[in-house]
Amino acid sequence: MRQGSVRGEIPGQRRVRHAGELGWDDSLYEDGDGGDDEKAQSGRRRRSGARPRRRRGRRILFWIAVVLAVLILGTAGAGYLYYQHLNGNIDTSPMPDGNRAPEATPNAAGQTPLNILLIGSDARDSKENQKLGGAKETFNGTPLADVQMLLHLSADRSNMSVISMPRDTLLQLPECTDPESGKVYPATTGRRMTNESLGRGGPGCTVLAWEKLTGIRIDHFMMVDFAGVVSMADAIGGVPVCVDANIHSRDAKGRGSGLKLEKGETYIQGEQALQWLRTRYGFEDGSDIGRAKAQHMYMNSMVRELRENATLSNPGQLRRLAEEATSALEVDEGLDTVKKLYDLSNELKRVPPKRITMTTMPYEYVGPRVQPKPGDAEKLFRLVRDDVALDGKAKKKDPEGSDGDAGKASDDPAAEPAEIGVQVQNGTRTETTQAVPGRASAVTTLLQGKGYPRAAADQQSAPVQERTVIRFPSAELEGDAQAVAKSLGLPLSSVEESKEVTGVTLIVGADWRTGDTPPKPEKDDGRTPESADALNGANDKACMHVDPNFTW
């Protein structure tokens, strides 16, 4: 692992930056130099002619690592010594070793999906990162995972789905252990911004936070920092982006990335590429959501550029790309060689852009921050868990059960109701209302009346639980959990495996605050929620909207 990689927080040496601190938001992305207009314009190429060829997309940063693996690493080698040299460039960090989400179930052909978490670190742990990242007072401070994106490759390798998460999403962060110091960070009692997960035990903790939220088992991670973005953008030779008006990201108070572009399409690279990826002031409404859209455009444009640019046949350029890609990455130990990255690339490049669907986690505002949008976020996560293509082109499946219940009946036979122990928890609290007093006891009485005398109420309130679920810890209890669901009239889709419980556990959610009958589940049409802002990877017509206050 490199000297500047993620460490645990050491008192007196590192300071965790919290969202409420003065200057935190702006300095993270837009404290750079950026004032020299000529410098901002350097390295830019514009197409001539009456109608420039458009290669535009949207979606988020740091597919860089994956894209380079797709088209570069397999052809960049020049003998064993060079191969070993590239392997030596790659830094690694371990995946978490406990409290993981359950592994995906193989399809009929025995294939399983592949899930990769892509992380963009804001670390100021080197002179180069400090120069690019600004915020001098945070030099060598605890890094933040300010870009997070889950890439899901379907089991049959026919399609790919991507979910990005806003950096200021509020979540309860899980217990994590720093792999180097051994320091244990307890689970947070309140909600914290998801980007803080990186400083609580490295990328493995960010993996755990995603798994806890989504229930999706993550197989690998890839992480890159500021300097890595710039070096790879330079090596590629530029990426086309588009704005619908002239833009200069700099206001009267000096805030902004310094990005200055003319209306239309422009090739950007180097520090100008980083300016684009960091720009918030000037894009759309000035929020992180607008910034994410600009990052998304850059990512999709890079994919198409690498696929279509014939100059990549140049051996010298390929070698440079291989050098920059392997030097910029920090990966899990399952991707610690060029061969492993190349094997991964062969999996990824089988998917054409038209079968790639880019999404943002459905969210809603909580003050200046965001949280997963009730209903829509969980639906998106479920579609990915179930390996359903988000582009709507998957083969239709006959739902099992009723009322839109797509759950699958367990092969494990259930015990007699009188033998099944069930712990009942009260998860009826919401962000705006308190938990219903005595709700766990009421549902426990209901269960006992249905022949489950071993049902017992947990008197402590559970965390916020949007919908009622029944969790079980291992396969031998799945049939028992499904039997409890059936007795209450809950769909099989409400039953899920979880390592956070030790037995069959019923968590009464905010959707069942009163009455003896749980709400009838809405019929699921299997479509990606509109709030996920889905975009097909082959879309080349997108152009960033410029705030009129930042045009020239």
Side-chain angles (χ1 to χ4, degrees):
M1 183 180 293
R2 65 177 152 206
Q3 188 69 22
S5 59
V6 178
R7 300 286 193 278
E9 186 178 355
I10 303 176
Q13 294 185 14
R14 294 193 171 180
R15 178 173 64 88
V16 177
R17 283 165 282 128
H18 296 295
E21 291 185 30
L22 183 63
W24 181 90
D25 187 56
D26 297 336
S27 66
L28 229 77
Y29 286 88
E30 302 181 345
D31 251 279
D33 168 329
D36 187 339
D37 293 350
E38 287 72 28
K39 181 178 178 181
Q41 294 281 12
S42 67
R44 195 169 49 154
R45 291 188 283 126
R46 298 188 62 83
R47 292 193 175 96
S48 59
R51 185 176 182 180
R53 181 164 62 95
R54 299 169 64 93
R55 285 195 211 128
R56 300 166 189 157
R58 322 186 286 165
R59 293 296 159 196
I60 203 167
L61 174 61
F62 300 126
W63 226 33
I64 298 168
V66 177
V67 172
L68 289 176
V70 170
L71 294 177
I72 309 281
L73 297 178
T75 57
Y80 178 77
L81 292 179
Y82 186 65
Y83 172 80
Q84 291 297 92
H85 164 71
L86 291 179
N87 285 343
N89 287 346
I90 302 172
D91 292 307
T92 64
S93 184
M95 291 285 279
D97 58 6
N99 298 319
R100 304 293 306 279
E103 295 183 0
T105 302
N107 63 15
Q111 303 165 306
T112 55
L114 184 65
N115 296 301
I116 305 168
L117 186 63
L118 308 180
I119 304 170
S121 167
D122 81 329
R124 272 78 161 180
D125 56 0
S126 67
K127 291 183 178 179
E128 184 63 17
N129 277 327
Q130 177 63 50
K131 176 183 176 182
L132 296 168
K136 296 179 178 56
E137 71 279 3
T138 63
F139 182 74
N140 213 29
T142 304
L144 300 169
D146 274 331
V147 176
Q148 300 176 35
M149 180 174 64
L150 179 65
L151 185 155
H152 171 86
L153 182 63
S154 67
D156 63 5
R157 306 305 191 249
S158 68
N159 66 88
M160 189 183 300
S161 304
V162 180
I163 303 175
S164 63
M165 184 190 298
R167 67 187 176 108
D168 55 358
T169 300
L170 297 175
L171 300 175
Q172 286 188 312
L173 300 180
E175 178 182 299
C176 295
T177 302
D178 187 278
E180 293 185 359
S181 69
K183 178 178 178 178
V184 177
Y185 292 84
T188 60
T189 53
R191 296 191 303 170
R192 305 288 288 271
M193 285 176 53
T194 181
N195 63 357
E196 294 183 22
S197 61
L198 187 60
R200 292 169 48 86
C205 189
T206 306
V207 167
L208 279 182
W210 270 82
E211 291 193 350
K212 180 178 176 63
L213 173 66
T214 66
I216 299 168
R217 177 73 169 226
I218 295 174
D219 303 290
H220 299 290
F221 70 79
M222 292 182 170
M223 185 167 71
V224 68
D225 56 19
F226 287 144
V229 175
V230 171
S231 64
M232 287 192 288
D234 282 342
I236 290 169
V239 172
V241 296
C242 174
V243 288
D244 66 2
N246 295 347
I247 182 175
H248 187 194
S249 178
R250 182 71 68 196
D251 67 8
K253 296 181 180 180
R255 297 177 300 182
S257 68
L259 179 73
K260 189 173 185 180
L261 297 176
E262 297 178 10
K263 177 181 179 179
E265 184 175 272
T266 302
Y267 268 80
I268 60 174
Q269 63 184 95
E271 289 191 41
Q272 194 176 37
L274 183 62
Q275 286 179 328
W276 174 277
L277 296 167
R278 292 168 61 197
T279 294
R280 179 163 66 88
Y281 294 105
F283 284 155
E284 301 202 350
D285 62 356
S287 71
D288 274 336
I289 306 304
R291 172 159 49 204
K293 288 184 178 181
Q295 294 170 341
H296 300 162
M297 173 187 288
Y298 182 91
M299 183 188 72
N300 268 1
S301 294
M302 178 178 286
V303 173
R304 290 191 294 273
E305 191 70 10
L306 285 171
R307 284 180 179 270
E308 299 173 13
N309 194 336
T311 63
L312 292 180
S313 61
N314 182 300
Q317 187 177 18
L318 287 173
R319 286 177 64 114
R320 183 184 178 195
L321 282 165
E323 287 281 352
E324 300 295 354
T326 53
S327 297
L329 291 176
E330 182 168 343
V331 299
D332 67 274
E333 293 162 341
L335 295 176
D336 60 354
T337 67
V338 170
K339 182 181 186 304
K340 291 176 182 178
L341 288 170
Y342 178 58
D343 290 342
L344 173 63
S345 78
N346 283 332
E347 296 287 301
L348 296 170
K349 70 183 181 181
R350 293 166 60 182
V351 182
K354 65 182 180 180
R355 293 304 313 278
I356 299 172
T357 306
M358 322 297 290
T359 66
T360 297
M361 179 197 75
Y363 64 89
E364 62 183 16
Y365 280 98
V366 182
R369 309 301 169 197
V370 300
Q371 66 183 12
K373 184 176 182 179
D376 284 5
E378 172 54 31
K379 180 178 181 181
L380 182 66
F381 300 151
R382 182 187 60 75
L383 290 172
V384 173
R385 282 198 306 270
D386 292 347
D387 200 25
V388 177
L390 299 185
D391 60 7
K393 297 179 181 178
K395 295 180 180 179
K396 300 295 182 181
K397 298 179 180 179
D398 293 328
E400 299 184 29
S402 59
D403 300 321
D405 176 10
K408 180 181 179 181
S410 172
D411 294 330
D412 175 60
E416 292 298 320
E419 300 176 2
I420 299 175
V422 184
Q423 184 181 56
V424 183
Q425 298 180 350
N426 185 352
T428 57
R429 180 170 62 89
T430 71
E431 300 301 331
T432 58
T433 59
Q434 295 296 320
V436 178
R439 190 61 183 148
S441 296
V443 176
T444 296
T445 300
L446 178 64
L447 263 178
Q448 291 173 343
K450 292 180 177 292
Y452 292 85
R454 296 182 61 191
D458 185 341
Q459 299 305 321
Q460 295 185 345
S461 293
V464 174
Q465 181 65 44
E466 176 192 337
R467 66 182 182 91
T468 300
V469 296
I470 300 177
R471 293 178 175 150
F472 61 95
S474 54
E476 59 267 20
L477 292 179
E478 183 177 16
D480 292 356
Q482 290 190 353
V484 173
K486 185 176 180 180
S487 69
L488 292 173
L490 289 165
L492 292 186
S493 58
S494 67
V495 178
E496 56 190 38
E497 185 175 354
S498 173
K499 299 303 181 184
E500 295 185 356
V501 298
T502 57
V504 177
T505 304
L506 167 63
I507 305 176
V508 184
D511 61 342
W512 191 17
R513 291 172 62 86
T514 61
D516 292 345
T517 304
K520 188 176 181 180
E522 296 181 4
K523 187 173 182 180
D524 190 347
D525 58 11
R527 297 180 182 178
T528 303
E530 290 186 10
S531 57
D533 196 20
L535 178 80
N536 187 273
N539 185 335
D540 62 357
K541 306 300 182 183
C543 203
M544 282 305 299
H545 174 63
V546 174
D547 182 340
N549 294 318
F550 288 85
T551 193
W552 54 279

